[in-house]
Amino acid sequence: MTRAYLAFTAKGLALAEKLAAEYPGSVARCGHEPGQPGLAEWTARQFAHSDALIFVGAVGIAVRAIAPHCKSKASDPAVVVLDECGRFAVPVLSGHLGGANELARRLAAVCGAVPVITTATDANGVFAVDEWARHQNCAVLEPERIKKVSGALLAGRTVRFASDWPIAGSPPAGLAEDAAAPELALTLCPAGDALHLVPRIGVLGVGCRHGTGADTLAEAFAAFCAQAGFAPQCIAAAASIDLKQNEAGLLAFCQSRGWPVEFFTAEQLRQAPGSFTPSAFVQSVTGVDNVCERAAVLAAGGPLFFHKFARTGVTFALAARPFSPDWRWQHV
């Protein structure tokens, strides 16, 4: 989590520096002196580039500053406000998905403040599905459906869930497993009207002809997702052979999606465990019979989820990193 602290007074700055010593982040004081950022300028910059904004000052100042930038609970950063005396820590935006509630608790512990948590599930001690998703490193595909699940739990109704992986521990109160008609599903392949949580465990193996453009890769990738039925949000990284490490199209395609890319030699790819789709042509060009499947498996450290897909000179495969979800949803 990248954090940015903003204070308005000398006393507030001292508290911000104390908090940053425990939970590191940039520290600034807002003012009109040379070198001090303006409130609007600082907020716009940090809202776009930081995972969490911590204001040391009045809640009203923070609310007015962030209001023009708020878009969605799925994308907004966490925002926490502490008074300059360190008496209260108030999460005001992205309490669950952004982690503001947890951050407020942690910051409060540093300075002896009272965390003021106002989300209904926390206030009632009810399972918070969006906070659980964040702790399990899952993307929430339909944030608008969170309220349906939380509303049912708050009303005392049972929420049915399904998971493609065993989940360690006992389900929280109000959850019951039902693979036939789930309202909450942990999966790479969403289908139906459930709230889908997608773990970010996928590694995309890529093979392509020399000079393949980013647009061609993007079109082939969309076709791969559609045919296989997996959510692209599951992908955390990409991999290929070292012959492709300077391919501008491949690098741009991955960079635009925030995926780091790992490259392997032909010898390394030959050592990948498993059974792969062979190609005499690929063997003649690269020295190994398959690039996309082998690269995906090596980078993921886990098995293939979807085998080779070929389109317009591009090949893709998807492997999954090891994933062991559990029912913990509050980490202090």
Side-chain angles (χ1 to χ4, degrees), residues 278-326:
S279 166
F281 173 74
V282 173
Q283 174 77 47
S284 68
V285 173
T286 66
V288 62
D289 64 356
N290 181 292
V291 169
C292 62
E293 292 177 348
R294 291 178 178 274
V297 166
L298 278 184
L304 278 175
F305 210 88
F306 289 109
H307 285 265
K308 177 181 175 180
F309 169 90
R311 184 186 179 99
T312 59
V314 175
T315 60
F316 287 126
L318 183 70
R321 292 171 174 169
F323 181 53
S324 301
D326 60 63

Side-chain angles (χ1 to χ4, degrees), residues 11-227:
K11 187 172 184 178
L13 182 62
L15 177 57
E17 290 173 339
K18 177 179 179 178
L19 298 172
E22 189 69 24
Y23 294 101
S26 63
V27 179
R29 180 177 175 181
C30 179
H32 300 290
E33 296 180 12
Q36 293 182 346
L39 176 60
E41 171 197 355
W42 182 89
T43 305
R45 183 173 65 253
Q46 300 302 339
F47 207 93
H49 299 293
S50 296
D51 297 320
L53 283 65
I54 301 99
F55 292 84
V56 181
V59 169
I61 293 175
V63 169
R64 291 187 181 92
I66 66 174
H69 308 286
C70 298
K71 295 179 180 178
S72 165
K73 64 162 48 183
S75 59
D76 291 340
V79 177
V80 177
V81 180
L82 292 94
D83 64 283
E84 66 174 38
C85 293
R87 295 173 180 169
F88 301 99
V90 187
V92 297
L93 190 68
S94 291
H96 288 154
L97 281 179
N101 286 1
E102 181 179 336
L103 180 60
R105 293 186 184 102
R106 292 178 182 273
L107 295 175
V110 174
C111 60
V114 175
V116 183
I117 312 298
T118 59
T119 41
T121 49
D122 293 88
N124 288 277
V126 170
F127 174 72
V129 64
D130 39 0
E131 188 164 3
W132 182 65
R134 190 175 65 85
H135 282 301
Q136 302 302 321
N137 191 29
C138 291
V140 179
L141 294 197
E142 309 91 358
E144 69 279 3
R145 297 180 188 174
I146 293 172
K147 61 183 178 182
K148 181 179 179 181
V149 171
S150 296
L153 293 171
L154 287 166
R157 297 195 299 272
T158 298
V159 170
R160 304 181 302 274
F161 76 90
S163 175
D164 292 342
W165 299 266
I167 305 177
S170 300
L175 295 183
E177 188 167 10
D178 183 351
E183 299 162 270
L184 171 65
L186 184 64
T187 181
L188 294 188
C189 301
D193 298 326
L195 169 61
H196 295 101
L197 309 183
V198 176
R200 299 181 180 93
I201 59 172
V203 176
L204 185 70
V206 186
C208 62
R209 294 172 182 164
H210 176 64
T212 299
D215 290 344
T216 300
L217 284 156
E219 291 169 4
F221 177 66
F224 181 36
C225 294
Q227 178 176 300

